[in-house]
Amino acid sequence: MAGHSKWNNIKQRKGAQDAKRGKIFQKLSREIYMAAKSGGPDPASNPSLRLVLDKAKSANMPNDNVQRAIKKATSAGEGDNYDEVIYEGYGPAGVGILVHTLTDNKNRTATNVRVAINKNGGSLGETGSVAYLFDRKGYIAIEREALDIDEDTMLMSVLEAGGEELEASEDVFEIYTEASDFAEVRDALEKEGYVLAQAELTMVPQVYTELTEEQQVILETIVDALEDDDDVSEVYTSAHM
């Protein structure tokens, strides 16, 4: 993780997704619905729902949309049912691609993912071919603007909260945690008064792949095609972008 800024990637993706805000809200509604349906409507007692609500807040999703999804999940009747399916593939220079989906039709989703990867310069892999190259981690970003503390002070806060690693740049503090410690670290930092620009569970590559500009364009085409699919919730790559 050292030397790599996930924050740069997040800002780039957010900018690219502004035009797709309606589609993003639709995907988040699906995730909120499933989390509330399986664990209940109270985020205080449903960690999965709390995570999705944090994600929705980061995406500036209107509260009306959030409450509508929760209400749908807790209303009478069976409602919709979605399966979580992960697809694995390769992009240019062998860069690993993980595609997390939430689908009510596995055949449709498998076909769409295969087309998005294979027809844009990548190749779909077998189950287990890529996932082992990534670690599940908690990720927290705290922007440094108007934050009058130095790196040493931030590091002490992170360690006391139970964080694993701190990366500092001019714009942002980036904190990594073990997945099991994420909620505790997030809550401790918020209690200390820090404003979190991003807080999520994510997949972090063990090794990053360097790409040329041409290879970068190919990978972005693949990722854009995947993210445009309604069933795709997250796309992770091992590219050093």
Side-chain angles (χ1 to χ4, degrees), residues 4-22:
H4 174 78
S5 176
K6 179 178 173 65
W7 184 242
N8 289 337
N9 291 0
I10 289 172
K11 288 193 294 184
Q12 289 172 8
R13 299 311 305 169
K14 278 186 175 179
Q17 290 171 345
D18 278 345
K20 305 176 184 177
R21 194 162 296 278

Side-chain angles (χ1 to χ4, degrees), residues 209-224:
T209 304
E210 297 287 345
L211 299 180
T212 65
E213 287 188 18
E214 183 179 353
Q215 291 168 337
Q216 183 72 47
V217 170
I218 294 172
L219 180 61
E220 288 176 356
T221 301
I222 294 172
V223 172
D224 285 344

Side-chain angles (χ1 to χ4, degrees), residues 57-222:
K57 181 180 178 181
S58 178
N60 296 316
M61 184 175 180
N63 189 56
D64 286 350
N65 296 45
V66 172
Q67 295 305 318
R68 194 178 303 120
I70 293 176
K71 184 177 180 180
K72 182 180 178 182
T74 54
S75 61
E78 290 189 11
D80 301 321
N81 189 41
Y82 299 99
D83 294 307
E84 293 184 73
V85 185
I86 298 174
Y87 298 92
E88 305 170 46
Y90 301 94
V95 63
I97 301 174
L98 277 183
V99 186
H100 287 209
T101 70
L102 206 53
T103 178
D104 58 356
N105 186 323
K106 294 180 182 179
N107 290 334
R108 177 193 66 220
T109 305
T111 299
N112 290 348
V113 169
R114 183 182 301 109
V115 169
I117 294 178
N118 290 356
K119 288 200 172 182
N120 289 293
S123 59
L124 194 64
E126 298 292 329
T127 300
S129 60
V130 170
Y132 76 97
L133 300 172
F134 291 78
D135 294 319
R136 188 73 163 163
K137 294 287 183 182
Y139 173 81
I140 297 167
I142 300 174
E143 293 184 283
R144 300 186 69 170
E145 185 179 1
L147 189 64
D148 189 23
I149 63 170
D150 58 22
E151 185 175 344
D152 290 339
T153 303
M154 188 73 239
L155 179 60
M156 288 302 297
S157 293
V158 169
L159 294 177
E160 288 174 2
E164 180 181 45
E165 181 178 347
L166 170 69
E167 293 185 15
S169 65
E170 186 176 329
D171 300 328
V172 67
F173 289 120
E174 297 180 278
I175 299 148
Y176 291 91
T177 78
E178 289 294 339
S180 57
D181 298 333
F182 168 70
E184 182 179 345
V185 175
R186 175 200 61 202
D187 293 348
L189 290 172
E190 285 187 328
K191 188 175 181 181
E192 198 168 338
Y194 291 110
V195 177
L196 312 186
Q198 190 83 7
E200 63 182 14
L201 283 173
T202 188
M203 300 302 293
V204 178
Q206 296 168 4
V207 178
Y208 286 93
T209 304
E210 297 287 345
L211 299 180
T212 65
E213 287 188 18
E214 183 179 353
Q215 291 168 337
Q216 183 72 47
V217 170
I218 294 172
L219 180 61
E220 288 176 356
T221 301
I222 294 172

